[in-house]
Amino acid sequence: MKISVPGLVAKKTATGTRYYWTPSPTLSKAGWKSQALGRDIEAAIAAAKKRNEEVANWRTGGAKPRAIAKFVARATVDHVIAQYKADGYPRVKKGGRFGDDRFIGENTRIEYDSKLKAISAWAGSEPIAAITPDNVAVFRDALLVPKKGVVRLTTAHGTLRVLRTLCAYAKSKKFIETNPALDFDLPAPPPRQQVASPEARAALLAAADDAGEPNMALAMLLGWKIGQREGDLLRTLQTQYVEIPSYKLDAEVFASLAAMAPDGRVMGIRLRQGKTRVWIEVPVVADERTRIEAAIERARAVGIATLLYDERDNKTWTSGDNKERRSRAMYFQRRFAELRQSAADKAKRDGLAELSADLLDLQFRDFRRTCVVVLGELGLADQLIAAITGHSLDETKRILEVYMPRTTGMAARAIMMSAERDARNAKRKDAGA
């Protein structure tokens, strides 16, 4: 008897012919499994037809077995999202051109996943070629509807930027001819300008030390001393605390740093930034070196290989599992928030209301900006700041306006340097006369 039911196959075994429903490679990839249908041909045909009806229902977005992935039709928004993720989240270059030579960083992927989820909820089953600028405008307006009385402008702008990136990717893959989200007519929200003042930094360190959490104090100290991203700091290994050889530094600089060290060794942290993938070695001196070496000793005592760790539970702040890593990063943020609140409460009790408010407005990510501002106030050139933070020089020049807002300290230093220069010039003129 010839079998003409899709997926139904007969296999001869030692005990006779048995029937099976077997999925195609595409169905198998989506999670459909082979199904044994017994020896009775009529019953097998009925069961195979029933399974094919389930597949047909699944293809139209209907109910499906729990283990089966959601059906994604080709060239829909969801299909392009899946392809974009499978290709490693490639970046869009400046000017809207798409290039797959660079990829977004791991932490940025978490943010992108959240925005892509919102985009999928909006138009996941729609053909991406059917999305028009007018559709994007409607989506923009929906994102700007107040939630609990608050317009989430940053979230709305970020979601539309990710949509623009996704459409640029779709254009590069020939799914669409033009990018409907190229100009979504929503100005970027103003960048954060928060900078931790010297008083705020001292208050946060004191709060961590008073709480018996020196490792959290070290995390904050490194944040504003060497200006690395939170994720890069949390996964730093103890083996990345290294001695910097003299040949890597100018003789004068090496001698000066060595003179600051109790043992004459120039120590630093070797980091490969998660976003730029640039290896950098940043010297550490004074309090940060003391705290680093004490942290390493404590971590080794409990069998931890990272420099920073959760000292309450004696485990790392990072993980090889993506979900667990997000969870631990969230707990790190909560721990910082507790210390920030403690420092703010103490400042308020001490009658320092302005300092208390400034503390409550700080986020851990602001320490990276703080580092750049402090270095900028010292008058360091762009390339020196870039060498510490790990940015390329061009990128440093582009983002200084974001990371280094103009401050009273910078204005004061400019006046001081100008006055000192004028005094030197006047002294030369007097000497020449």
Side-chain angles (χ1 to χ4, degrees):
M1 177 179 182
K2 183 178 180 181
I3 299 175
S4 59
V5 179
L8 182 61
V9 296
K11 296 182 180 179
K12 294 189 178 297
T13 69
T15 57
T17 301
R18 292 181 177 273
Y19 299 95
Y20 298 85
W21 180 85
T22 304
S24 67
T26 300
L27 293 178
S28 181
K29 187 176 180 180
W32 293 92
K33 306 293 183 183
S34 294
Q35 184 178 17
L37 303 179
R39 298 181 181 178
D40 185 286
I41 180 61
E42 298 297 334
I45 290 174
K49 288 181 176 180
K50 182 179 179 182
R51 175 61 78 175
N52 288 334
E53 289 174 2
E54 291 177 350
V55 171
N57 190 43
W58 166 73
R59 290 186 187 278
T60 60
K64 62 180 179 61
R66 180 176 297 178
I68 307 303
K70 176 183 175 182
F71 176 73
V72 179
R74 181 171 174 78
T76 61
V77 171
D78 276 344
H79 175 249
V80 176
I81 288 174
Q83 285 290 107
Y84 176 70
K85 290 182 177 181
D87 282 350
Y89 300 73
R91 279 184 178 279
V92 172
K93 295 180 179 178
K94 187 177 180 182
R97 300 188 310 278
F98 200 85
D100 58 2
D101 56 329
R102 289 187 65 196
F103 301 87
I104 64 174
E106 181 179 333
N107 289 339
T108 309
R109 291 187 184 196
I110 296 173
E111 179 187 348
Y112 266 50
D113 284 344
S114 172
K115 305 298 189 290
L116 289 169
K117 185 176 180 180
I119 293 168
S120 174
W122 165 61
S125 61
E126 298 296 328
I128 196 163
I131 305 296
T132 68
D134 287 342
N135 297 141
V136 174
V138 172
F139 184 42
R140 176 202 62 209
D141 294 343
L143 291 170
L144 293 174
V145 172
K147 295 181 180 179
K148 296 183 179 179
V150 177
V151 175
R152 303 189 182 280
L153 180 59
T154 300
T155 300
H157 191 272
T159 302
L160 292 168
R161 281 194 296 107
V162 172
L163 175 60
R164 182 172 60 196
T165 296
L166 183 70
C167 290
Y169 172 81
K171 185 172 181 290
S172 74
K173 296 297 182 181
K174 311 300 183 185
F175 288 115
I176 55 178
E177 293 183 1
T178 60
N179 186 337
L182 197 58
D183 181 12
F184 47 76
D185 194 23
L186 182 65
R192 284 183 63 82
Q193 297 288 309
Q194 285 80 350
V195 172
S197 66
E199 294 78 12
R201 300 197 296 269
L204 287 167
L205 287 182
D209 288 337
D210 290 345
E213 299 190 24
N215 204 264
M216 282 299 298
L218 175 61
M220 293 186 292
L221 183 65
L222 291 177
W224 63 65
K225 282 289 187 179
I226 63 176
Q228 303 304 304
R229 296 177 180 82
E230 177 186 313
D232 294 319
L233 285 174
L234 296 185
R235 59 175 161 261
T236 300
L237 298 172
Q238 296 163 26
T239 52
Q240 291 173 254
Y241 178 61
V242 297
E243 183 174 0
I244 302 177
S246 59
Y247 72 84
K248 288 194 174 184
L249 306 175
D250 290 337
E252 180 184 357
V253 173
F254 183 85
S256 179
L257 290 172
M260 298 179 192
D263 55 3
R265 301 168 68 205
V266 179
M267 303 298 294
I269 297 179
R270 180 169 167 79
L271 289 172
R272 189 177 189 184
Q273 292 203 325
K275 186 174 182 180
T276 64
R277 312 308 294 163
V278 173
W279 280 106
I280 58 172
E281 290 170 340
V282 181
V284 291
V285 297
D287 188 33
E288 54 264 39
R289 175 174 174 177
T290 301
R291 287 180 180 270
I292 285 173
E293 292 175 354
I296 289 175
E297 186 176 344
R298 290 191 300 270
R300 288 177 177 173
V302 293
I304 290 176
T306 53
L307 179 60
L308 300 173
Y309 64 98
D310 183 348
E311 52 208 320
R312 292 186 188 177
D313 296 328
N314 288 336
K315 62 182 182 182
T316 65
W317 287 118
T318 188
S319 170
D321 178 74
N322 190 43
K323 184 177 180 181
E324 178 66 16
R325 184 166 54 254
R326 295 186 195 186
S327 176
R328 295 189 190 183
M330 177 189 69
Y331 279 111
F332 176 80
Q333 287 292 339
R334 288 184 181 177
R335 199 69 51 78
F336 168 71
E338 291 174 9
L339 294 174
R340 178 185 60 197
Q341 186 67 55
S342 177
D345 290 345
K346 184 178 186 306
K348 191 173 183 179
R349 291 194 302 270
D350 293 342
L352 303 172
E354 186 174 347
L355 174 60
S356 178
D358 287 346
L359 283 162
L360 291 175
D361 204 28
L362 286 174
Q363 299 177 15
F364 192 89
R365 59 176 172 159
D366 296 327
F367 297 152
R368 181 162 166 80
R369 183 184 305 106
T370 298
C371 176
V372 178
V373 169
V374 170
L375 296 175
E377 289 181 342
L378 291 174
L380 268 66
D382 296 352
Q383 61 266 30
L384 297 182
I385 297 175
I388 293 173
T389 63
H391 293 100
S392 69
L393 183 56
D394 286 343
E395 188 177 9
T396 299
K397 291 180 180 297
R398 287 196 301 269
I399 68 174
L400 276 177
E401 197 63 35
V402 175
Y403 279 156
M404 194 170 68
R406 307 306 178 233
T407 67
T408 300
M410 293 178 69
R413 180 167 292 275
I415 294 298
M416 179 194 72
M417 293 174 68
S418 177
E420 288 177 344
R421 184 188 60 192
D422 290 345
R424 287 194 299 270
N425 290 340
K427 188 175 181 179
R428 290 193 199 101
K429 288 180 180 180
D430 291 342

